Amino acid sequence: TTSPGVTAKVSLFLTSADGRSSTAKIIISVGSEDVPFSTINFVGKQLKNIDTEKKLSIQANLLIRSSCLMQWTVQEEGFAVTPTFDMEANSLTQTSRLVSLPGRISAKEVSANLVLKKGVLLGDSSYRVTLSCTGEKTSMQSIAITTNRPPTPGTLRITPSSGYAVSTVFTLNAILWEDVNLPLMFEFSFSSNGLFLLLQEKSELKSVTTMLSSAAEQNDYIAYAFLFVYDSFNALTNTSYALEILPNDDTTRRRHLTSIYSLLESFEKK
């Protein structure tokens, strides 16, 4: 039996019946028992430009050489400790567990998985994720991750802001949207009377011109247009615009014009 931490040289002498001999030597190093693990490998894609609105999963494979407490931590770069990051509250998996190694086994392979909830990391930031294993001593390894920021909010402009169903031509424009991860992609849609209509699939086109269906009278003829803006990593920002769309019939037109004339007369009297 060789004690931990010892390096031994083993020699083998072989002699044949006719007197010929051969010698072979091998050096054996026995690792120290108090080293929790000797290797750790993080598994998965490159952790850059992570979408903070999606769950983040990090996996690691370890070679354990003694029983230890395995623990995940997350720190924002530039801070020794990130007090606002609550591992238990922000994780969907266990962040610490005890790994036991029976005495008759010298090493064991173990997998560790960390899943962070969506929205718990700040956009456009850098973090260091560390996995440690603590027995009599502590071994650890870290991986750096960077998060993406969705496109900077611009606006959705629609002209005109009111009109008649299947008659008025509306132009929807995406204006002042910015991001470092180009190209930006724009998707336009429309909602009225409980129905959702895709006006333009995701593309680099920043505007769409179309006629729209009428809105419900019980909703005061108000319908909504939506704009979804994606960067090259599919980080998403969306905004909406309320517009008035009246039924395209003579009665509604006369009623609408009458209300406009009444409103103008009230302003003139003032």
Side-chain angles (χ1 to χ4, degrees), residues 67-95:
S67 300
C68 63
L69 177 65
M70 191 165 58
Q71 189 169 25
W72 291 96
T73 56
V74 176
Q75 296 176 349
E76 188 174 359
E77 290 286 16
F79 297 88
V81 180
T82 309
T84 57
F85 198 88
D86 187 331
M87 290 298 299
E88 295 299 325
N90 295 335
S91 304
L92 296 173
T93 51
Q94 279 186 304
T95 59

Side-chain angles (χ1 to χ4, degrees), residues 16-267:
S16 65
D18 59 5
R20 290 179 299 171
S21 64
S22 179
T23 303
K25 298 179 181 180
I26 186 172
I27 296 176
I28 300 175
S29 295
V30 182
S32 175
E33 289 181 331
D34 60 6
V35 177
F37 56 78
S38 61
T39 59
I40 172 171
N41 297 309
F42 288 98
V43 182
K45 61 183 180 181
Q46 198 172 22
L47 298 174
K48 291 184 178 180
N49 291 301
I50 294 168
D51 187 351
T52 59
E53 293 306 310
K54 295 180 180 179
K55 293 185 294 185
L56 171 63
S57 179
I58 301 176
Q59 185 180 343
N61 296 325
L62 303 83
L63 182 63
I64 303 295
R65 296 192 180 279
S66 71
S67 300
C68 63
L69 177 65
M70 191 165 58
Q71 189 169 25
W72 291 96
T73 56
V74 176
Q75 296 176 349
E76 188 174 359
E77 290 286 16
F79 297 88
V81 180
T82 309
T84 57
F85 198 88
D86 187 331
M87 290 298 299
E88 295 299 325
N90 295 335
S91 304
L92 296 173
T93 51
Q94 279 186 304
T95 59
S96 64
R97 65 186 174 102
L98 184 63
V99 180
S100 298
L101 187 68
R104 65 183 182 277
I105 299 177
S106 60
K108 180 173 71 173
E109 291 185 354
V110 178
S111 293
N113 190 39
L114 174 68
V115 180
L116 298 178
K117 298 177 181 178
K118 65 178 183 179
V120 300
L121 299 177
L122 299 176
D124 197 23
S125 300
S126 298
Y127 292 87
R128 185 164 296 277
V129 179
T130 301
L131 179 60
S132 63
C133 211
T134 303
E136 293 184 12
K137 293 184 178 180
T138 298
S139 296
M140 65 178 63
Q141 190 164 329
S142 301
I143 188 170
I145 63 174
T146 59
T147 58
N148 189 18
R149 180 181 64 183
T152 302
T155 186
L156 169 61
R157 182 178 298 171
I158 301 180
T159 53
S161 59
S162 64
Y164 294 94
V166 200
S167 174
T168 302
V169 176
F170 295 93
T171 300
L172 292 72
N173 285 291
I175 299 174
L176 300 176
W177 292 90
E178 297 180 351
D179 197 276
V180 295
N181 299 312
L182 301 175
L184 291 181
M185 307 289 279
F186 304 89
E187 181 180 288
F188 296 89
S189 57
F190 173 74
S191 178
S192 175
N193 303 327
L195 299 176
F196 196 85
L197 176 66
L198 181 63
L199 300 178
Q200 176 182 285
E201 294 183 347
K202 189 166 63 172
S203 75
E204 293 186 49
L205 297 177
K206 297 181 180 181
S207 67
V208 60
T209 300
T210 183
M211 291 182 288
L212 300 170
S213 58
S214 63
E217 183 177 3
Q218 62 265 30
N219 295 328
D220 298 323
Y221 301 111
I222 299 298
Y224 291 89
F226 298 90
L227 170 65
F228 299 87
V229 185
Y230 303 82
D231 69 7
S232 59
F233 289 95
N234 272 333
L236 167 66
T237 303
N238 67 82
T239 188
S240 61
Y241 188 102
L243 61 162
E244 182 185 46
I245 305 179
L246 300 166
N248 188 16
D249 59 73
D250 292 339
T251 301
T252 303
R253 284 177 177 271
R254 284 196 297 269
R255 188 188 308 159
H256 184 55
L257 290 173
T258 300
S259 65
I260 292 176
Y261 291 145
S262 299
L263 184 61
L264 291 174
E265 287 178 359
S266 66
F267 277 117

